[in-house]
Amino acid sequence: MVSKGVKAGGAVFDSSVEPRPGRGAGAMGVVLTSDRQLRVVRTTRPRGLRLAGEIDLANVDLVRRVLASAARDGGDIRVDVSKLVFIDVAGLRVFVDQAGTLSRRGGRLILVGASRQMSRVLALCGWDVVPGLSLVERIAPAPRRPRL
């Protein structure tokens, strides 16, 4: 189900966490939502999400829904945050909460490419030691299958 909403400034955004029809997939991923502030892509190799732009109070509920949807399959979730230019404490809290939920199910939330500022704020809040939350610099590329 795709629903539309309007956020501050009048920008229209897609609040769905399901892939949008007609948006390409493949190894690059499926665009779940995209507006002037945030682009969310579901990736398949590795399985997870790629976030680009800004996360703040205006879209933190969307990020919460996207993470919860990705967590339904269980296991680890890799979230590439290397293209985030801004994230407020509310956005970081969503990551921490989801990491706790995944930890109770035996999984982890792996933040890939966190900026020094993001890592520092997580450490200052004591959230860098939350069970289920891991920070890594980058994801190793998935091995390619040989062509036959």
Side-chain angles (χ1 to χ4, degrees):
M1 179 172 129
V2 176
S3 60
K4 298 282 184 180
V6 178
K7 67 178 184 176
V12 176
F13 68 96
D14 179 359
S15 63
S16 170
V17 294
E18 297 302 320
R20 297 200 298 186
R23 299 288 171 125
M28 296 301 293
V30 175
V31 175
L32 298 179
T33 186
S34 183
D35 63 13
R36 290 182 185 169
Q37 188 173 358
L38 181 66
R39 181 176 179 92
V40 180
V41 176
R42 181 179 295 153
T43 60
T44 55
R45 284 182 280 170
R47 186 180 78 83
L49 301 167
R50 184 172 49 247
L51 307 176
E54 301 177 1
I55 299 175
D56 61 19
L57 202 51
N59 60 10
V60 75
D61 287 333
L62 170 68
V63 174
R64 182 178 293 111
R65 288 192 309 269
V66 167
L67 287 171
S69 176
R72 286 187 203 134
D73 297 334
D76 295 347
I77 300 174
R78 288 166 183 80
V79 182
D80 182 346
V81 294
S82 63
K83 300 295 184 196
L84 285 179
V85 295
F86 177 80
I87 184 167
D88 66 5
V89 174
L92 290 175
R93 184 66 200 197
V94 168
F95 290 143
V96 169
D97 290 344
Q98 188 61 55
T101 300
L102 286 168
S103 176
R104 289 187 290 279
R105 297 180 193 161
R108 296 177 300 159
L109 181 68
I110 303 166
L111 297 180
V112 180
S115 67
R116 288 186 338 178
Q117 294 86 357
M118 183 186 301
S119 299
R120 185 167 183 231
V121 172
L122 285 168
L124 287 171
C125 293
W127 293 338
D128 58 330
V129 294
V130 168
L133 182 65
S134 298
L135 279 77
V136 297
E137 285 188 35
R138 63 187 178 105
I139 297 176
R144 295 205 178 258
R145 294 184 196 170
R147 287 192 167 185
L148 300 177

